[in-house]
Amino acid sequence: MKTMNLTKLTAIVPACLIILALRPYLSAQHAIDLHVQDRVAQVEPARLKAIVQSLVDFGTRHSLSDPTNPTRGNRAAQRWIIDHIKSLQALPGSRLQLYEERFMAGGSGRLPDPVELANLGAILPGTDPARSKDVLVIAGHYDSLPSGRDVNADGPGAVDDASGVSISLEMARIMAAEKPAITIYFVASAAEEQGLVGATHLAKRLKSEGYTVRGMVAVDILGNIKGINNDTDNTTIRCFSEGVPSAETDAQKRIREALGGENDGLSREFARYVKRFGEPYSDNLDIWLMLRRDRVGRGGDHTPFANEGFPGIRFTDTFEHYDRQHQIPRIENGRKYGDTMEFFDENYVAKVARALLASFMHLSHAPAPPFEVGIGGNGTANTILRWKLPDDDRISGLILYRRRSDSIHWQRTRMLPKSTEVILQDVMLDNYVFAIATVDAKGNESVPVYPTALLR
């Protein structure tokens, strides 16, 4: 076998690097951020389990359970969550603020009488004054629901949904000293089981006060790795998102019908973002992008956010077990019922927590996204994209995402200088789907923005 002279080899290597650097498109992946990796490594399965166990120990967290009992029920669980947030505020360098929003709801439906409810959690303030109205939301609902009509019956609610609360609180702990560009809400939401009441209140309040929710994740029913069909899986998680926005106007519908985009609504793009930036930081986890708003005939706390025009997605076990949802713990004919700690897998939940933490770290530090993105070139051999850039000094460039029109996932990316237009020579418009994102010098990207105008 012949060997190559070292001098010749060193002369060839730089040339190879130059060729690679000039490739117009790269795989739709990104480099690992060491700071994010360090934070992700701090997710502790034992802490997740301890939070779930503490909530389960209240016996029930039904929204209408006895509010006078100091150790059992929804009101006792509220006090524990508040105390837990206060302990996170005491961490070195913590910037967390207690989030406690009380409101009256009810008088019909699943809440026949008016009752005081409370959304709880922590707020991590953003540091960019120009983006003071931009927020991210991660939420799990802390109420639980037993079978039957007895509101004080046992309803442990380990997987549904103390698990979601555990992720929200664990992310708050790890990010407590962070200085993101935009504000993050770490929420334990109220009365999800009575009709998404707490999430609806929060979504409407944020909308009415002029906030833009850049992404909302509802983690609901997570931690069970064996489904009712006996399939067992701790390596996948379902991520549900709507394609066509619920809040689409007639004008937006006309543009969508002209451009396509049924698979590129705000929620769907956010789901892709979470998968793309979350999976690399969580070993042996595959996020399934479910092309549905939610499971068939069902809904969750992300739904009110989508209804307000915000990107909202839901994370849920791949294989649900319905004997462990909304059930009083019992054994009937040798069959176990009840959402108890026995069926909660903290290591599985930790995998999901790592992915969500990584995606929130990247997005909360990312520059503002482009806007008024237009696309044209129909009837020619080329594709043209134009956009406007926000006044954000952290923007160092742009990333053009591209996939074939028959694909679900982004397939390639192209790095662009800070600009407002790109012309893609000999790329026929109809065969591909595009979106454009801003990026900073550290590689933090905005969520890609799909075109909303046809260039003439």
Side-chain angles (χ1 to χ4, degrees):
M1 181 177 67
K2 294 183 178 179
T3 59
M4 183 175 291
N5 182 280
L6 184 59
T7 302
K8 292 183 180 180
L9 180 60
T10 55
I12 292 173
V13 169
C16 293
L17 292 177
I18 290 171
I19 292 170
L20 290 173
L22 291 176
R23 287 179 58 191
Y25 281 95
L26 301 174
S27 171
Q29 297 294 327
H30 61 88
I32 293 293
D33 184 299
L34 296 181
H35 177 65
V36 175
Q37 189 174 55
D38 175 70
R39 291 291 181 265
V40 166
Q42 295 176 35
V43 173
E44 296 184 18
R47 285 183 180 271
L48 294 164
K49 183 176 182 179
I51 292 170
V52 173
Q53 183 68 69
S54 294
L55 293 172
V56 165
D57 287 345
F58 290 107
T60 181
R61 302 184 303 281
H62 194 294
S63 301
L64 301 179
S65 57
D66 181 6
T68 65
N69 193 317
T71 60
R72 181 181 173 86
N74 189 281
R75 192 60 64 90
Q78 288 181 27
R79 290 191 290 270
W80 183 89
I81 293 170
I82 291 171
D83 287 343
H84 187 86
I85 295 299
K86 289 179 178 178
S87 73
L88 300 183
Q89 288 181 289
L91 294 172
S94 177
R95 301 178 60 248
L96 295 175
Q97 299 173 357
L98 175 65
Y99 167 56
E100 182 178 0
E101 187 172 9
R102 297 189 175 274
F103 57 97
M104 296 299 295
S108 63
R110 300 180 191 178
L111 292 173
D113 299 312
V115 61
E116 182 188 73
L117 300 173
N119 286 333
L120 306 170
I123 297 175
L124 183 62
T127 58
D128 185 346
R131 304 188 68 193
S132 61
K133 288 291 189 177
D134 283 6
V135 300
L136 287 171
V137 180
I138 175 77
H141 67 87
Y142 66 91
D143 60 309
S144 66
L145 188 68
S147 48
R149 297 186 178 182
D150 183 358
V151 299
N152 290 301
D154 285 346
V159 172
D160 185 13
D161 184 35
S163 62
V165 176
S166 74
I167 285 186
S168 184
L169 296 181
E170 179 69 347
M171 285 176 60
R173 177 186 73 85
I174 295 169
M175 294 188 70
E178 287 291 319
K179 296 180 179 179
I182 64 176
T183 296
I184 305 177
Y185 277 68
F186 304 95
V187 179
S189 59
E192 189 270 354
E193 303 291 7
Q194 280 70 48
L196 319 178
V197 181
T200 299
H201 178 86
L202 178 56
K204 287 184 175 297
R205 195 262 294 171
L206 291 172
K207 182 69 173 288
S208 68
E209 295 179 4
Y211 286 91
T212 298
V213 178
R214 294 296 178 179
M216 186 278 178
V217 180
V219 184
D220 190 0
I221 306 179
L222 177 65
N224 176 76
I225 63 173
K226 186 174 183 179
I228 197 166
N229 60 352
N230 291 318
D231 281 349
T232 300
D233 188 342
N234 66 352
T235 64
T236 64
I237 182 71
R238 292 181 295 175
C239 175
F240 289 91
S241 65
E242 65 179 16
V244 177
S246 305
E248 183 181 62
T249 65
D250 288 342
Q252 290 169 335
K253 178 182 178 182
R254 288 193 291 271
I255 289 295
R256 174 178 55 79
E257 290 176 341
L259 296 180
E262 292 80 4
N263 199 26
D264 287 271
L266 293 176
S267 296
R268 188 62 47 78
E269 296 299 4
F270 180 50
R272 290 189 180 99
Y273 185 98
V274 173
K275 176 180 174 68
R276 193 165 60 255
F277 281 88
E279 280 184 351
Y281 294 91
S282 189
D283 292 337
N284 204 22
L285 181 69
D286 181 10
I287 299 173
W288 288 7
L289 295 185
M290 311 302 289
L291 306 185
R292 287 192 172 115
R293 186 184 195 183
D294 205 326
R295 299 144 308 151
V296 175
R298 302 165 76 182
D301 275 347
H302 64 306
T303 306
F305 285 82
N307 289 342
E308 295 297 331
F310 299 135
I313 64 178
R314 175 185 180 132
F315 273 62
T316 293
D317 288 337
T318 303
F319 299 106
E320 293 182 68
H321 201 306
Y322 307 115
D323 291 354
R324 299 167 194 166
Q325 296 176 19
H326 305 168
Q327 297 287 343
I328 295 174
R330 66 194 187 279
I331 298 177
E332 290 184 1
N333 301 319
R335 189 167 179 170
K336 284 187 177 181
Y337 294 84
D339 186 3
T340 62
M341 291 299 297
E342 177 184 356
F343 305 112
F344 173 78
D345 189 307
E346 65 271 23
N347 293 309
Y348 175 51
V349 175
K351 290 182 182 181
V352 178
R354 293 181 187 110
L356 289 172
L357 175 62
S359 61
F360 268 55
M361 287 282 292
H362 276 283
L363 186 53
S364 65
H365 288 278
F371 61 100
E372 294 186 18
V373 179
I375 192 167
N378 48 320
T380 75
N382 305 329
T383 295
I384 304 169
L385 287 118
R386 295 194 189 108
W387 56 88
K388 292 183 180 179
L389 290 179
D391 186 13
D392 191 330
D393 292 337
R394 293 177 302 116
I395 297 174
S396 63
L398 297 112
I399 299 181
L400 177 65
Y401 279 88
R402 170 179 166 179
R403 70 177 192 270
R404 215 169 61 188
S405 296
D406 64 346
S407 177
I408 296 171
H409 304 287
W410 294 120
Q411 297 169 313
R412 294 192 286 178
T413 61
R414 179 174 178 176
M415 303 296 297
L416 300 175
K418 195 171 180 179
S419 56
T420 57
E421 179 183 272
V422 65
I423 299 175
L424 306 175
Q425 300 289 339
D426 297 323
V427 176
M428 297 189 67
L429 173 62
D430 298 331
N431 294 344
Y432 298 95
V433 178
F434 302 92
I436 190 82
T438 56
V439 62
D440 68 12
K442 295 181 179 180
N444 296 307
E445 297 179 29
S446 72
V447 174
V449 178
Y450 183 79
T452 55
L454 180 61
L455 301 176
R456 299 297 182 182

